[in-house]
Each structure stands twice: as C-alpha cells, then as structure tokens.
C-alpha cells in the first residue's frame, strides 16, 4: 500500500512535465549555476536548430566536457565543469524539452 502510494506520487510529479526541469535544472542553477536563460541563447546561437540544440544539451548534461563548454574559459578554469546529470535519459529529455519550450523564440516571433 505504502509502495503504491509512493509510486503514485512519483508518477504524478513526473507527469507534470515541466517539473523535472524546475526541480532539477532551475533549483540547482538558482544556487550554483549560471543563468539558464543566457545559456539557452548561447546554445541557440551556436547550434541553431531545435534538434541540434537539444542534442548538444543532452550530450553535455550526460558528459560535461570542458572542450565543448560554452561557458567563459575563465569560469571553467576556476570552477571546472559540473557533474554529469543524475537524471535518467527519459527524464533528462523531458527536462530539456521544457527548457526548450520555456525559451524558444521560434513560433513566438510573428
Ligand atoms: C547540481 C547542479 C546543476 C544541475 C542539477 C543542473 N545544472 Fe546546468 N550547470 C551547473 C553548473 C555549476 C554549470 C556551469 C559549469 C559547466 O558549464 O559545466 C552548469 C552549466 C549548464 C549549461 C552550460 C553548459 C556549458 O558549459 O556549455 C547549460 C546549458 C545547463 N547547465 C543547463 C542545465 C539543464 C537543462 C539542466 C537540467 C537538465 C541542468 N543544467 C542541471 C549546475 C547544474
């Protein structure tokens, strides 16, 4: 019964979609991370298309590589890169989708 309840709670919190993005990405970035908004546009400038931005984000979160980082070199030299994401591939994809939907400009410009 307890297990069922916990599963239900987890399912409900995950099905809210954007919540993984807020609980994971936003919560940490508020404290340690640089501006998610600024980073989004840095990624958009470099990778241009939705598919390529999402792919680059996914790969960086899985395996943060100082050579691929778009952060200022000085920042990386002082702080290093972050740890690989603990999210499952599925959850990470959802978080990135929410991130994209939050800041995408395509479709908003009329
Ligand atoms: C535990 C804290 C933490 C979590 C969770 C986290 N980040 Fe970060 N993130 C950081 C820090 C610190 C940096 C700067 C260091 C770096 O670039 O590796 C960073 C860098 C980034 C960058 C720039 C990468 C680069 O260097 O080019 C992006 C984009 C980003 N985060 C997006 C996200 C998204 C999307 C999520 C959720 C899936 C997320 N972050 C989750 C702490 C976090």
């Amino acid at each position: 019964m307890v297990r069922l309840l916990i599963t239900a709670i987890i399912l409900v919190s995950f099905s809210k979609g954007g919540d993984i993005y807020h609980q994971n990405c936003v919560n940490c970035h508020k404290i340690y991370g640089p501006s998610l908004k600024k980073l989004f546009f840095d990624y958009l400038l470099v990778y241009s298309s939705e598919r390529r931005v999402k792919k680059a984000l996914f790969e960086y979160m899985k395996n943060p590589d100082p050579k691929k980082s778009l952060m200022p070199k000085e920042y990386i030299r002082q702080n290093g890169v972050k740890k690989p994401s603990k999210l499952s591939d599925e959850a990470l994809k959802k978080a990135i989708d929410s991130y994209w939907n939050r800041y995408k400009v395509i479709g908003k410009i009329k």
Side-chain angles (χ1 to χ4, degrees), residues 25-76:
C25 322
V26 176
N27 273 345
C28 182
H29 272 253
K30 261 197 313 218
I31 311 167
Y32 306 105
S35 159
L36 278 167
K37 184 174 182 180
K38 180 184 178 301
L39 285 168
F40 183 85
F41 291 105
D42 290 345
Y43 269 77
L44 197 57
L45 263 173
V46 173
Y47 295 100
S48 336
S49 76
E50 174 173 356
R51 193 180 56 81
R52 290 180 55 203
V53 168
K54 285 184 174 176
K55 185 166 173 276
L57 286 170
F58 186 84
E59 281 168 7
Y60 191 88
M61 301 307 133
K62 282 272 155 194
N63 181 23
D65 179 348
K67 285 197 221 79
K68 292 194 183 135
S69 173
L70 298 187
M71 289 291 290
K73 293 222 164 21
E74 193 52 38
Y75 176 98
I76 297 295

